[in-house]
Amino acid sequence: MPGGDAREAAKTVTGSFEDFPFLAELPARGPGADMIGRTAGLLVELYAHVEPSGWRISDRPGRDTRRARSWLGEDLDALEEFTQGYEGPLKVQVVGPWTLAAALELRGGEAMLGDAGAVRDLAGSLAEGLRGHLAELRRRVPGARPVLQLDEPSLTSVLLGQVRTASGYRTHRAVDRQVVEGTLRDVMAAHDGPVVVHSCAPGVPFGLLRRAGAAGVSFDFGLLTERDEEPIGEAVEGGTVLFAGVVPSTDPASGALSDPGGSVMGVRTLWRRLGLNPGTLAKSVVVTPACGLAGASPEYARKALAHCARAARSLADNPE
């Protein structure tokens, strides 16, 4: 979400999505509130600090770690305030192990991705940190049924060997798909509820994520190609929920959103092309922005969330 006011963000998300609120991230506050720093602050017995090139592994927790943890605590305080008495699903998101490995630097400056042992340690630390984070969420919102989202925008680049080394002249080797799948499965096991994997990059590996145990896949609907259709159909038939990013995540140039029914027209069309039962749309699709709203204006972010809710109702009321 845009801005830096935790209470205002919590008020917006709980008011917009009364049946599916989420713990907002506010990266505009600076290092430690960004997605990588925020998740680095959750790690157990692994610490990171900010360098000009990005986040780098440290020997001990420092100012940057303390700042990340402080902001997360502030966000949890705000969410707790606005979810008094709430019972139902509540989404919390962290960066997944592969995007984290591609972003965090070892002490020499290279990404952790290039060291298989470091990646294993990172995944174990992340899983342990997640257990504590989810326990804290349940303590603060006792009626919540947490839905864990793993943000993996770099996942396709990891699979294709497209993550650049520190010099920028080479790329790290592609990681074996079974290793990627196994690591994701291990991290997902930290949560005893549903896990959604989010990527707003092209080429989301729907089949791999489904095999790893993802209950849902969140993606930018506008980036789909024909080759994605078969794996999407198989995922839906296997019970995977699609978090379809159909609402622009930044202010449209025209200044106006389309009507709610128009926003989900592409989803209806895809359903027909795949030969899926329109009656399953309401339980198989969650309507979302195409990606995070941090780059939007606060006013547009509020409009986009409300628009998602209206578009979802349109999809449920008029599936065909």
Side-chain angles (χ1 to χ4, degrees), residues 20 30 36 116 127 129 146 156 158 194 212 223 236 258 262 275 309:
F20 195 14
I36 299 300
T156 302
V158 167
L223 295 180
V236 171
S258 68

Side-chain angles (χ1 to χ4, degrees), residues 234-257:
E234 291 174 353
V236 171
E237 289 178 340
T240 304
V241 177
L242 303 182
F243 285 62
V246 297
V247 176
S249 54
T250 55
D251 304 54
S254 65
L257 288 162

Side-chain angles (χ1 to χ4, degrees), residues 205-208 210-211 214 217 227-242 270-271 274-276 284:
F206 289 92
L208 183 152
R210 185 166 58 91
R211 291 191 299 274
V217 179
R227 69 171 176 267
D228 294 314
E229 292 187 1
E230 185 177 343
I232 285 176
E234 291 174 353
V236 171
E237 289 178 340
T240 304
V241 177
L242 303 182
L270 175 64
W271 233 247
L274 294 175
L276 296 169
S284 297

